[in-house]
């Protein structure tokens, strides 16, 4: 009898629902919300990581206004995100168009082009990248082969170092490409047939049919990639460490330095919250522009 | 039925996750003593390949002689090591035994993270009968001894002897800055090899100034300007290594130092401002056939600049659940001849005179040369080490690194850099 009661309690829809989502709920609580709360508290503290935090109010936030390196890092991060993300999307779209035609080898190519995205954020690829762009690296050697003998220090030059990071980001176009690919497949072929009958060429078809119908996907990719771009860390930390002269100092890497190297962990936490606000604002702005260029009537 | 199954699965997942959390805290770094009485100690250090191998072997020996004690050895490069340790400190999961540096000792002790070793020394757990009082006291902060020095060390300028011999250049000990620069120019003219300089604190000591005082920059603006001028002149005259070289390597890694790593004279240095205990690692990282010589660092006044340094320490952290066992390990490292026959003074000359005598016949010629170098070249011509730098110094180090970079790239003149270092540095140090 008792057993039955327990059984019927557990079989209730709501109970089953709660139990089934428990792992996820606990995960969010323990590993996201609680740490966020702690970080918010630290951001209001003088905290050197080695001894307990002391509450100081909003001083950390005020300090940012006088921190030149902070603004430098913001500048670098905006430059990186605003250039690498659109480039990556354009590239992803081009490759997706190329891979749209199905032949026997298409599957292989899709996998091959997706590969950099899986391994791209990893330490190993970053180290590889660093070696490739070294003075005696493969890039300079390849340039030598085509007749441009050079010992140019790509990573040591203030103008080029950031571009090596942007290039790495563009190379990781795989996940956007897959999303584009599936969206491209959803566009009804009848539209193209009709266009062809009306005499529209390939280029015109692309701009009048493909692109407008893809705008929701472009929007989605843009928002996701933009957020990722602002939060990039590994590439910079491994490849350039912000060198030369902070010209590649990503916001997140500066935050890391402040938190763990200079032992201004409270200031680092405050920086994290400012980043959250910045990313939030950018996302908001993107959403605000949505109605001007995103075609949402569906097909 | 289906519902029951899904419930059961969810339950299993939830339990699994909770168990995972539980396990996580247990293995977070510090000691765990399981019911059968075995002890596991986490032991961390920074270093190089030679050190990693030898330390691992020494710990294996301890486990062999003390059944039930096992180690979780962890090593990292210098920079990562300190980031990792700081994070572990925040999570109260510091390793049981940490390798400690003189420059970080003060901040770890003042934040209450290290165990006072005095009781262990008094009750004989750590035997220091054969240790020089001065060396023992180098680990002293306030009234307690918080870290046990594991070797004596001196700044050493390592150089590519093969290259200099071919060019017919000889190096003498206790070079002044002027003599050193003359050598740099000569090497550059004859061989194309460049030079990698210099350490600000060492430079300032020649003028009786301590760069990082407890709450200010202790160097005068003139001294700082003279320091940055070295870089300005070096770049203008061509003998200084281009700063872009450092964009491509892990700074602080012996294996990637421009003296042994690089593809052309343009990107390599004829010398390496190192410490005497890095000689072995530099030799094993050097390309086939490169002979390496050792002398003192250049300074305007070598006798004032040079110093004997506790190469590094071992300390027990407050997060250790087994400080008694950890203390025994420190005793083992300090006093066991067997253990030091494995380590062979790679970290520096062993501090126990008995041990250093006992292992000297097993030491390589290099290591014996180091002892001679320390005793006969540096000791008679050196001054006391500067006090350990305060916490704020780590940001000031970074400021200096950036300024040096800017001077090398021609963004700033030496005078501007000196002014910035003086003004911003003082702000940083004042907190």
């Amino acid at each position: 009898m008792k057993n039955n009661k327990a059984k019927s309690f557990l079989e209730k829809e709501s109970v089953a629902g709660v139990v089934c989502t428990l792992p996820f709920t606990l995960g969010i609580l323990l590993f996201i919300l609680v740490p966020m709360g702690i970080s918010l508290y630290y951001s209001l503290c003088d905290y050197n990581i080695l001894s307990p935090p002391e509450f100081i109010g909003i001083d950390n936030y005020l300090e940012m206004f006088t921190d030149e390196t902070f603004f430098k890092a913001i500048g670098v991060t905006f430059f990186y995100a605003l250039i690498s993300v659109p480039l990556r999307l354009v590239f992803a779209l081009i490759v997706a168009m190329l891979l749209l035609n199905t032949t026997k080898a298409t599957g292989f190519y899709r996998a091959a082009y997706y590969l950099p995205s899986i391994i791209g954020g990893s330490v190993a690829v970053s180290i590889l990248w660093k070696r490739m762009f070294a003075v005696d690296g493969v890039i300079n050697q390849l340039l030598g082969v085509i007749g441009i003998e050079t010992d140019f220090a790509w990573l040591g030059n203030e103008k080029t170092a950031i571009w090596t990071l942007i290039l790495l980001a563009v190379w990781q176009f795989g996940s956007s490409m897959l999303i584009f690919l599936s969206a491209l497949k959803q566009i009804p072929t009848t539209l193209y047939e009709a266009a062809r009958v009306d005499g529209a060429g390939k280029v015109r078809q692309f701009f009048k049919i493909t692109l407008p119908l893809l705008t929701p996907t472009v929007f989605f990719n843009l928002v996701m990639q933009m957020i990722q771009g602002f939060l990039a860390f590994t590439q910079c930390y491994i490849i350039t460490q912000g060198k030369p002269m902070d010209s590649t100092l990503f916001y997140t890497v500066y935050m890391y330095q402040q938190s763990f190297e200079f032992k201004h962990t409270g200031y680092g936490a405050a920086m994290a919250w400012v980043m959250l606000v910045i990313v939030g604002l950018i996302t908001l702005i993107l959403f605000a522009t949505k109605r001007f260029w995103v075609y949402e009537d569906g097909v | 039925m289906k519902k029951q199954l899904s419930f059961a699965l969810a339950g299993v997942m939830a339990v699994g996750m909770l168990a995972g959390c539980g396990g996580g805290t247990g293995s977070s770094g510090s000691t765990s003593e399981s019911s059968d009485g075995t002890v596991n100690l986490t032991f961390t250090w920074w270093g190089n390949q030679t050190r990693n191998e030898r330390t691992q072997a020494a710990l294996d020996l301890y486990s062999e002689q003390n059944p039930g004690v096992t180690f979780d050895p962890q090593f990292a490069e210098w920079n990562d090591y300190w980031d990792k340790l700081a994070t572990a400190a925040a999570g109260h999961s510091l390793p049981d035994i940490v390798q400690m540096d003189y420059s970080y000792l003060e901040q770890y002790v003042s934040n209450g993270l290290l165990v006072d070793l005095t009781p262990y020394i008094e009750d004989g757990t750590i035997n220091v009968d054969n240790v020089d009082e001065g060396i023992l006291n180098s680990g002293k902060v306030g009234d307690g001894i918080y870290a046990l020095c594991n070797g004596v060390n001196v700044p050493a300028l390592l150089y590519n002897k093969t290259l200099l011999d071919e060019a017919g250049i000889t190096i003498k000990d206790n070079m002044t800055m002027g003599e050193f620069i003359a050598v740099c120019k000569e090497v550059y003219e004859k061989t194309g090899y460049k030079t990698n300089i210099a350490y600000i604190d060492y430079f300032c000591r020649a003028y009786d100034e301590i760069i990082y005082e407890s709450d200010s920059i202790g160097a005068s603006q003139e001294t700082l300007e003279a320091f940055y001028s070295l870089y300005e002149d070096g770049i203008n005259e061509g003998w200084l290594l281009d700063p872009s070289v450092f964009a491509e390597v892990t700074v602080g890694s012996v294996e990637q130092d421009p003296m042994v790593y690089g593809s052309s004279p343009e990107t390599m240095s004829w010398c390496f401002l190192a410490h005497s205990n890095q000689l072995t690692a530099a030799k094993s990282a050097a390309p086939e056939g490169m002979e390496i010589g050792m002398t003192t660092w250049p300074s305007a006044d070598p006798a004032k600049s040079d110093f004997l340094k506790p190469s590094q320490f071992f300390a027990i952290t407050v997060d250790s659940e087994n400080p008694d066992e950890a203390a025994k390990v420190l005793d083992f490292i300090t006093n066991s001849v067997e253990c030091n026959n494995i380590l062979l003074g790679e970290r520096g000359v062993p501090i126990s005179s008995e041990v250093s005598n006992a292992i000297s016949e097993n030491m390589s010629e290099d290591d014996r040369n180091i002892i001679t170098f320390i005793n006969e070249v540096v000791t008679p011509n050196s001054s006391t080490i500067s006090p350990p730098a305060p916490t704020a110094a780590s940001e000031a180090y970074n400021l200096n690194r950036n300024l040096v970079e800017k001077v090398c790239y021609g963004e700033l003149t030496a005078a501007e850099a000196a002014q910035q270092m003086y003004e911003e540095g003082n702000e940083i140090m004042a907190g």
Side-chain angles (χ1 to χ4, degrees):
Chain A
M1 188 63 199
K2 212 176 188 181
N3 198 11
N4 255 351
K5 221 177 193 175
K7 204 172 151 195
S8 68
F9 169 74
L10 286 171
E11 278 180 0
K12 268 191 204 159
E13 283 282 331
S14 59
V15 173
V18 167
V19 171
C20 284
T21 53
L22 199 62
F24 185 72
T25 322
L26 276 179
I28 290 257
L29 280 174
L30 286 175
F31 300 115
I32 301 199
L33 287 181
V34 171
M36 273 179 88
I38 294 174
S39 133
L40 185 62
Y41 171 66
Y42 285 166
S43 77
L44 300 170
C45 290
D46 181 12
Y47 180 38
N48 72 1
I49 206 168
L50 298 179
S51 48
E54 247 171 73
F55 191 82
I56 51 162
I58 59 165
D59 285 9
N60 284 326
Y61 292 90
L62 296 177
E63 201 185 319
M64 282 175 215
F65 289 102
T66 56
D67 182 355
E68 277 175 49
T69 317
F70 170 80
F71 287 106
K72 176 118 197 184
I74 291 235
V76 170
T77 309
F78 266 86
F79 182 80
Y80 168 80
L82 294 182
I83 293 197
S84 70
V85 171
L87 276 180
R88 181 194 284 187
L89 292 189
V90 169
F91 211 66
L93 184 56
I94 293 173
V95 178
M97 302 275 292
L98 289 177
L99 290 181
L100 195 55
N101 300 323
T102 324
T103 64
K104 273 184 189 159
T106 313
F108 169 76
Y109 281 119
R110 282 181 194 161
Y113 283 114
Y114 187 65
L115 206 59
S117 298
I118 302 177
I119 56 173
S122 75
V123 172
V125 169
S126 300
I127 290 175
L128 178 80
W129 214 254
K130 190 170 177 171
R131 285 302 308 149
M132 278 171 60
F133 283 92
V135 170
D136 56 347
V138 72
I139 299 288
N140 278 350
Q141 286 175 13
L142 282 178
L143 285 173
V145 169
I146 60 165
I148 311 171
E149 287 291 342
T150 176
D151 56 356
F152 190 77
W154 300 95
L155 295 169
N157 186 299
E158 212 190 344
K159 299 228 156 49
T160 53
I162 185 79
W163 288 97
T164 64
L165 297 180
I166 291 177
L167 201 63
L168 177 58
V170 174
W171 180 59
Q172 297 156 22
F173 58 83
S175 63
S176 314
M177 176 197 77
L178 277 194
I179 297 170
F180 277 135
L181 204 57
S182 63
L184 282 170
K185 284 186 168 173
Q186 309 244 324
I187 301 176
T189 44
T190 47
L191 291 177
Y192 292 106
E193 280 161 21
R196 222 174 299 134
V197 170
D198 289 342
K202 284 268 175 208
V203 176
R204 202 167 170 145
Q205 282 178 26
F206 175 78
F207 283 105
K208 291 290 174 193
I209 300 173
T210 315
L211 206 52
L213 289 178
L214 272 185
T215 46
T217 319
V218 174
F219 180 74
F220 172 78
N221 273 334
L222 189 63
V223 172
M224 298 307 287
Q225 300 294 337
M226 209 51 119
I227 294 173
Q228 251 187 37
F230 275 96
L231 301 182
F233 175 82
T234 318
Q235 304 90 312
C236 171
Y237 185 70
I238 303 280
I239 301 177
T240 64
Q241 291 259 326
K243 283 181 271 192
M245 289 185 290
D246 294 342
S247 66
T248 60
L249 185 67
F250 283 6
Y251 191 91
T252 48
V253 172
Y254 183 51
M255 191 166 94
Y256 178 90
Q257 286 183 341
Q258 283 289 356
S259 303
F260 304 115
E261 279 171 37
F262 310 156
K263 310 260 170 22
H264 297 163
T265 312
Y267 186 69
M271 282 183 68
W273 281 90
V274 169
M275 185 33 88
L276 182 77
V277 172
I278 292 176
V279 170
L281 278 178
I282 296 216
T283 312
L284 264 183
I285 292 171
L286 284 177
F287 269 94
T289 63
K290 194 176 168 195
R291 64 194 168 98
F292 299 112
W293 60 279
V294 178
Y295 177 78
E296 271 187 314
D297 291 346
V299 186
Chain B
M1 187 59 207
K2 215 174 180 182
K3 212 177 246 172
Q4 273 168 333
L5 186 68
S6 65
F7 163 69
L9 277 176
V12 167
M13 276 171 74
V15 169
M17 213 179 83
L18 287 172
C21 296
T25 48
S27 62
S28 58
S30 49
T31 331
S32 47
E33 188 169 7
S34 52
S35 49
D36 57 357
T38 59
V39 176
N40 186 297
L41 298 171
T42 311
F43 191 112
T44 57
W45 68 93
W46 71 86
N48 52 62
Q49 198 51 39
T50 315
R51 179 177 302 167
N52 300 347
E53 284 160 12
R54 292 186 187 176
T55 310
Q56 179 73 61
L59 296 180
D60 288 346
L61 178 68
Y62 188 88
S63 298
E64 208 176 284
Q65 293 181 351
N66 300 274
V69 181
T70 54
F71 291 94
D72 178 9
Q74 298 173 357
F75 51 87
E77 291 284 357
W78 169 264
N79 277 333
D80 303 328
Y81 181 83
W82 295 106
D83 295 354
K84 215 172 131 182
L85 215 55
T87 335
H92 300 293
S93 58
L94 280 167
D96 297 277
I97 302 174
V98 293
Q99 186 170 306
M100 185 43 58
D101 185 74
Y102 190 67
S103 59
Y104 283 85
L105 182 60
E106 210 277 334
Q107 37 176 293
Y108 275 79
V109 173
S110 66
N111 287 299
L113 298 168
L114 302 182
V115 172
D116 185 359
L117 301 176
T118 318
Y120 295 111
I121 290 170
E122 277 167 2
D123 74 9
T125 311
I126 301 175
N127 179 348
V128 294
D129 293 349
N130 300 311
V131 179
D132 175 78
E133 184 97 0
I135 293 173
L136 189 64
N137 283 339
S138 62
K140 196 167 186 173
V141 179
D143 293 330
I145 292 173
Y146 288 89
L148 198 61
C149 175
N150 60 26
V152 179
N153 202 5
V154 291
L157 180 83
L158 307 183
Y159 59 92
N160 185 341
K161 194 164 184 303
T162 316
L163 178 79
L164 296 198
D165 285 350
E166 279 167 15
I169 301 168
T170 48
I171 298 288
K172 65 180 188 90
D173 290 329
N174 294 315
M175 273 188 288
T176 64
M177 210 67 210
E179 290 165 332
F180 173 73
I181 289 170
V183 172
C184 297
K185 288 180 184 167
E186 197 182 346
V187 172
Y188 178 58
E189 277 159 24
K190 288 186 176 167
T191 68
Y193 276 78
K194 301 203 167 189
T195 305
N196 180 15
I197 47 172
Y199 279 99
I200 193 167
D201 44 351
Y202 197 83
F203 188 93
C204 295
R205 278 169 61 90
Y207 304 90
D208 294 316
E209 295 170 354
I210 296 169
I211 176 79
Y212 304 118
E213 295 270 18
S214 60
D215 51 8
S216 66
I217 292 289
S220 69
Q221 211 166 312
E222 291 78 49
T223 311
L224 291 172
E225 188 174 337
F227 176 73
Y228 294 115
S229 298
L230 279 179
Y231 289 89
E232 198 172 45
D233 298 345
I235 288 287
N236 290 340
E237 293 161 8
W239 51 265
L240 184 70
L241 209 55
D242 195 82
S244 64
V245 170
F246 298 100
E248 293 176 9
V249 298
T250 308
V251 175
S253 147
V254 175
E255 283 82 4
Q256 290 189 30
D257 188 87
M259 182 178 72
V260 294
Y261 182 88
S263 51
S264 67
E266 271 288 289
T267 59
M268 293 182 77
S269 168
W270 64 273
C271 66
F272 169 24
L273 285 149
H275 289 90
S276 54
N277 65 352
Q278 288 170 311
L279 178 65
T280 316
K283 285 206 165 180
S284 59
E288 208 45 41
M290 185 195 285
E291 211 186 314
I292 291 176
M294 180 168 63
T295 184
T296 50
W297 286 4
S299 160
D301 188 343
K304 278 185 186 168
S305 279
D306 220 350
F307 53 87
L308 290 173
K309 178 181 183 294
S311 65
Q312 43 196 235
F313 302 86
F314 285 122
I316 302 172
T317 68
V318 291
D319 295 339
S320 174
E321 284 167 23
N322 249 309
D324 297 352
E325 192 64 44
K328 284 185 203 155
V329 176
L330 294 196
D331 181 62
F332 174 75
I333 292 169
T334 312
N335 292 307
S336 158
V337 174
E338 272 177 288
C339 167
N340 281 284
N341 264 328
I342 297 174
L343 297 174
L344 286 175
E346 183 276 325
R347 286 184 166 83
V349 180
I351 59 169
S352 155
S353 52
E354 201 171 291
V355 170
S356 70
N357 288 335
I359 67 165
S360 73
E361 59 191 78
N362 293 325
M363 283 172 112
S364 64
E365 204 192 326
D366 289 339
D367 293 327
R368 278 201 293 269
N369 286 344
I370 292 173
I371 298 181
T372 319
F373 178 71
I374 294 178
N375 291 338
E376 287 167 22
V377 180
V378 180
T379 311
N381 203 30
S382 60
S383 313
T384 318
I385 190 169
S386 314
T391 311
S394 28
E395 195 180 355
Y397 296 144
N398 191 60
L399 174 65
N400 175 49
R401 266 198 302 272
N402 287 345
L403 290 172
V404 164
E405 214 183 6
K406 284 183 182 169
V407 171
C408 290
Y409 276 100
E411 287 272 296
L412 290 178
T413 65
E416 287 163 348
Q419 193 184 349
Q420 277 197 31
M421 183 66 195
Y422 191 76
E423 284 169 5
E424 288 175 31
N426 266 319
E427 250 171 62
I428 291 171
M429 298 305 291

